[in-house]
Amino acid sequence: MKRRNFIQKAGLSAASLAATPLLANDRVEKKSQKTFSTKNIPIVICTWNCPNATAKAWEVLEADGLALDAVEQGVMMEESDIKNQSVGKGGRPDREGNVTLDACIMDHTGNAGSVVYLQNIEHPVSVARKVMEDTPHVILAGKGAEQFAYEKGFKKVDLLTEKSKNEWIEWKKESKYKPIINIENHDTIGMLAIDKQGRISGACTTSGMAYKMAGRVGDSPIIGSGLFIDDEVGGATATGMGELVLKTVGSFLIVELMRQGYSPQEACEEAIRRIVAKNTNYKDFQIGYLAINKAGEVGCYCLHQGFSYSKYTKEGQVEIKSDSYLNS
Ligand code: ASP
């Protein structure tokens, strides 16, 4: 159908079409004038119990730093921690024995950068930030992302530790792919922070599901799934079985629900209910959501028991257990 016919059929005049963007802008302007209580900020929250990561981010926030720097430096702590076998160096490999990393970062202006299937680089979150700041793109993948990292001065690092290698060799004896519900209370790190100026940013980083198929990419580096930030509203991040989060665009859903008036807690619960409604096998997997609105109110919800998050504010550091959809 020609565009002119379509406009006539839809009963829209050229004038009313021209008016639409003006109305939208008007709405955005009104929202951006909205003021938020500052009593809860600055604040940083992070999936799982990762006190070193939130403490590092808090250092940045307390010194009046940018939320973006806080989340990058915060999650870098976990990327370097070889005891965390779900993130960065020391991460569990795919079924071929390669550690492949996914990460993304998003700032208060709506800018975003991401790397997927990145090998041999300890800090995928920092490469994601370079993608955001130094390229016209949002996502770089695989060899291209690795090449880009070297061009930006990142060093080649062997990410496979003896421990992860030995466990993988053991796994290969049976080669049964069975994602474990809560791996040692350590998993993908999704971090959200609001700085003293009220700017919100987030980062998400992971080595993905252990023994995944070569080439598999989960939700964590996908803007809208593993992470989403909108400075007018708040932010959300996810951990757990990425395929279920991807199919429901979980983090974007939570932020949009908060825009419509849901509290962060209500929005996380609704996003979990959406997964339950769309997946008959939902009991086989864990998903955890964490969200914050611009007033610094936090929500957290998961499918199975066992998920928690770390929070650092003026009152100090705490680990908070999440409520769950299932009582097991
Ligand atoms: N969300 C990650 C992924 O699917 C893994 C996890 O959080 O356990 O790659």
Side-chain angles (χ1 to χ4, degrees), residues 53-66:
T54 40
K56 182 74 203 170
W58 179 256
E59 250 176 63
V60 177
L61 296 176
E62 213 184 15
D64 208 2
L66 257 181

Side-chain angles (χ1 to χ4, degrees), residues 72-92:
E72 180 189 6
Q73 290 178 36
V75 303
M76 282 169 74
M77 299 296 289
E78 293 298 316
E79 289 179 338
S80 292
D81 181 355
I82 58 167
K83 290 199 290 308
N84 185 339
Q85 289 180 281
S86 305
V87 177
K89 191 168 177 185
R92 292 187 177 86

